[in-house]
């Protein structure tokens, strides 16, 4: 039996594939390489000494997905595939709705057809919208402020409806907070296209000299030092949460949303200072206006993951930043 990993050559997918291969699971990856390359597969093999089966296909292509399920004995799916850039989603919303929402419906249809009803889905803390106060709890009302966030919210609604309609489905929707870091080997990590939107890739590209200086978006929030506070989570801890979720599926019918965060908040300037301390490189920055859509503070209530999955974050901020720095300094141009 194999696990199907959609989006398995991407940032979080590749780290999860490493952990799955390390526990001797058979892995089939489907990715259309829209935001990744097969180079991550070579690195995954270098780390684990094992190979995942890779199929280049689009989850929106129903026939191609049927072929995958025909050719492999799939026991469950971890569904990472999706487009994830918030800014881009406001420019090309239809691509986001098509790729993320329609693509997921195609995947679910094919899973139904082949009677594979175990799923772990990549959701996001973005579904808490801007009206809840941290710590964010799974029972809080959800909303979205941009097309990317809407796709995650719509997919969650679809998953809840599906699980309600058929008791054979077991679905866990993991709501990730801010994944950062890289595998401790320095061989795989985040490799964004173009100028990064997220804080850590931006800071690490400033540190290696690819970018001149960081813009800190606002220093007048009601936080410890005026800059935005987020719940950063090591990508390897996040990967391990997926293994725990897969293991929990058989005893967890229905659809369950679970936060994956540390429960701690860190400000932008705390990140910059920690990065300087670890890399011993200066990170020039400038305070600029707030980024539209940002809120002051976002962090998780992380209890449910512990209760239901037996999972909690093990890696601290020093690990997250040391591993980010190792990956970026040893691979200044990503996988190129
Ligand atoms: P990523 O872009 O590195 O990985 C996504 C992968 O999916 C890529 O390899 C891409 O080529 C593939 N893909 C996209 N559309 C596809 C399609 N139609 N068919 C097949 N493959 C397709 O992103 P990531 O950071 O690893 O994120 C993985 C998932 O987690 C995404 O769904 C994302 O929305 C979600 N998520 C990410 C974050 C984050 O900060 N990285 C936070 C919350 C949620
Ligand atoms: C962003 C997305 C969110 C997505 C998440 C993970 C927005 C509004 N939200 O969240 O939907 O789930 O990424 O992919 O885009 N910052 C700077 N300078 C920078 C970049 C960021 O000061 O160049 C600050 C931000 O203002 C924020 C913090 O750093 O306070 C983290 O930003 P980022 O990494 O983009 O994550 P989020 O804003 O939490």
């Amino acid at each position: 039996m194999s696990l199907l990993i959609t989006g398995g050559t991407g940032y979080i997918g590749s780290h999860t594939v490493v952990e799955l291969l390390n526990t001797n699971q058979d892995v089939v990856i489907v990715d259309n390489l829209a935001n990744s390359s097969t180079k991550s597969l070579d690195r995954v093999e270098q780390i684990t000494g094992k190979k995942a089966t890779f199929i280049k296909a689009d989850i929106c292509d129903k026939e191609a997905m049927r072929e995958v399920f025909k050719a492999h004995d799939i026991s469950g799916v971890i569904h990472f595939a999706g487009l994830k850039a918030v800014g881009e989603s406001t420019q090309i919303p239809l691509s986001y709705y098509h790729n993320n929402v329609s693509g997921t419906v195609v995947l679910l249809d094919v899973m139904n057809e082949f009677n594979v009803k175990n799923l772990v889905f990549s959701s996001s803390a973005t579904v808490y919208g801007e009206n809840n106060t941290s710590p964010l709890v799974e029972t809080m009302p959800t909303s979205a402020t941009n097309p990317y966030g809407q796709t995650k919210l719509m997919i969650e609604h679809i998953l809840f409806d599906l699980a309600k309609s058929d008791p054979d489905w077991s679905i866990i929707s993991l709501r990730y907070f801010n994944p950062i870091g890289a595998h401790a080997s320095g061989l795989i990590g985040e490799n964004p296209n173009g100028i990064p939107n997220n804080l850590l890739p931006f800071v690490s590209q400033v540190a290696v000299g690819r970018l001149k200086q960081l813009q800190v978006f606002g220093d007048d929030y009601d936080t410890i030092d005026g800059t935005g506070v987020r719940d950063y989570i090591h990508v390897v801890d996040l990967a391990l949460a997926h293994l725990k979720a897969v293991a929990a599926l058989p005893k967890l019918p229905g659809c369950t949303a679970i936060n994956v965060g540390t429960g701690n908040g860190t400000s932008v300037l705390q990140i910059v200072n920690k990065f300087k301390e670890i890399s011993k490189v200066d990170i020039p920055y400038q305070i600029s206006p707030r980024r539209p859509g940002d809120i002051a503070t976002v962090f998780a209530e992380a209890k449910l993951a512990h209760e239901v999955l037996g999972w909690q974050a093990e890696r601290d901020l020093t690990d997250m930043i040391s591993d980010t720095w190792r990956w970026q300094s040893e691979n200044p141009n990503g996988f190129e």
Side-chain angles (χ1 to χ4, degrees):
M1 297 288 266
S2 301
L3 275 175
L4 172 61
I5 316 296
T6 73
T9 51
Y11 172 46
I12 304 168
S14 59
H15 287 81
T16 304
V17 168
V18 164
E19 300 307 323
L20 289 167
L21 292 175
N22 279 342
T23 53
N24 296 318
Q25 305 225 33
D26 287 328
V27 171
V28 175
I29 296 172
V30 165
D31 201 302
N32 66 357
L33 306 178
N35 195 39
S36 56
S37 85
T38 52
K39 288 187 180 127
S40 70
L41 294 172
D42 302 335
R43 299 288 183 88
V44 165
E45 194 180 344
Q46 219 176 313
I47 294 169
T48 61
K50 292 174 191 145
K51 244 189 158 101
T53 301
F54 174 69
I55 299 158
K56 182 171 185 264
D58 195 309
I59 56 161
C60 301
D61 180 345
K62 199 167 200 169
E63 270 320 306
M65 294 309 291
R66 281 198 178 113
E67 290 307 315
V68 172
F69 280 79
K70 263 186 219 157
H72 300 276
D73 193 7
I74 304 292
S75 59
V77 178
I78 307 181
H79 178 31
F80 295 105
L83 300 174
K84 63 162 184 177
V86 173
E88 184 184 65
S89 79
T90 64
Q91 308 296 317
I92 48 167
L94 290 181
S95 302
Y96 273 69
Y97 288 115
H98 175 69
N99 196 75
N100 294 6
V101 181
S102 307
T104 300
V105 172
V106 169
L107 172 69
L108 294 170
D109 253 343
V110 176
M111 288 177 71
N112 230 345
E113 202 177 307
F114 285 82
N115 205 30
V116 177
K117 296 184 177 176
N118 292 314
L119 175 73
V120 178
F121 171 63
S122 298
S123 187
S124 164
T126 195
V127 302
Y128 290 108
E130 47 189 10
N131 300 319
N132 292 306
T133 303
S134 292
L136 298 170
V137 187
E138 289 86 350
T139 48
M140 284 176 165
T142 51
S143 64
T145 52
N146 54 66
Y148 165 74
Q150 293 288 1
T151 68
K152 292 294 171 190
L153 198 52
M154 286 178 182
I155 295 168
E156 281 205 357
H157 286 304
I158 292 169
L159 298 177
F160 282 112
D161 287 343
L162 177 63
K164 237 185 269 171
S165 75
D166 175 353
D168 289 344
W169 278 91
S170 288
I171 301 173
I172 295 178
S173 182
L174 294 178
R175 294 177 175 167
Y176 312 159
F177 281 68
N178 290 59
I180 62 169
H183 191 263
S185 63
L187 287 168
I188 53 172
E190 192 169 9
N191 185 33
N193 277 331
I195 310 258
N197 300 304
N198 296 117
L199 181 63
L200 259 292
F202 204 107
V203 168
S204 45
Q205 291 195 15
V206 170
V208 289
R210 277 174 68 180
L211 295 168
K212 271 214 170 65
Q213 71 171 5
L214 172 72
Q215 304 294 324
V216 173
F217 298 142
D219 68 346
D220 56 352
Y221 287 107
D222 183 15
T223 60
I224 180 168
D225 54 21
T227 65
V229 165
R230 297 292 183 270
D231 185 341
Y232 296 96
I233 165 93
H234 196 297
V235 67
V236 173
D237 278 330
L238 175 57
L240 292 168
H242 291 78
L243 273 69
K244 295 280 191 182
V246 168
L249 284 173
K251 52 180 186 339
L252 205 64
C255 178
T256 315
I258 302 178
N259 289 341
V260 189
T262 63
N264 303 316
T266 307
S267 77
V268 176
L269 290 182
Q270 286 172 329
I271 291 276
V272 169
N273 289 330
K274 192 76 177 171
F275 208 104
K276 278 189 196 170
E277 178 195 317
I278 287 171
S279 67
K280 308 203 167 38
V281 174
D282 190 31
I283 313 286
Y285 68 83
Q286 188 178 41
I287 305 296
S288 56
R290 292 179 177 194
R291 182 172 64 181
D294 274 359
I295 53 178
T297 300
V298 179
F299 63 93
E301 160 77 68
K303 269 203 301 230
L304 191 65
H306 192 234
E307 286 166 13
V308 176
L309 305 180
W311 173 92
Q312 63 187 27
E314 305 284 351
R315 291 160 181 79
D316 64 13
L317 196 64
T318 301
D319 301 319
M320 299 184 214
I321 294 192
S322 310
D323 291 338
T324 302
W325 176 236
R326 187 177 307 104
W327 154 251
Q328 187 71 69
S329 54
E330 291 176 7
N331 306 269
N333 297 309
F335 289 111
E336 297 316 311

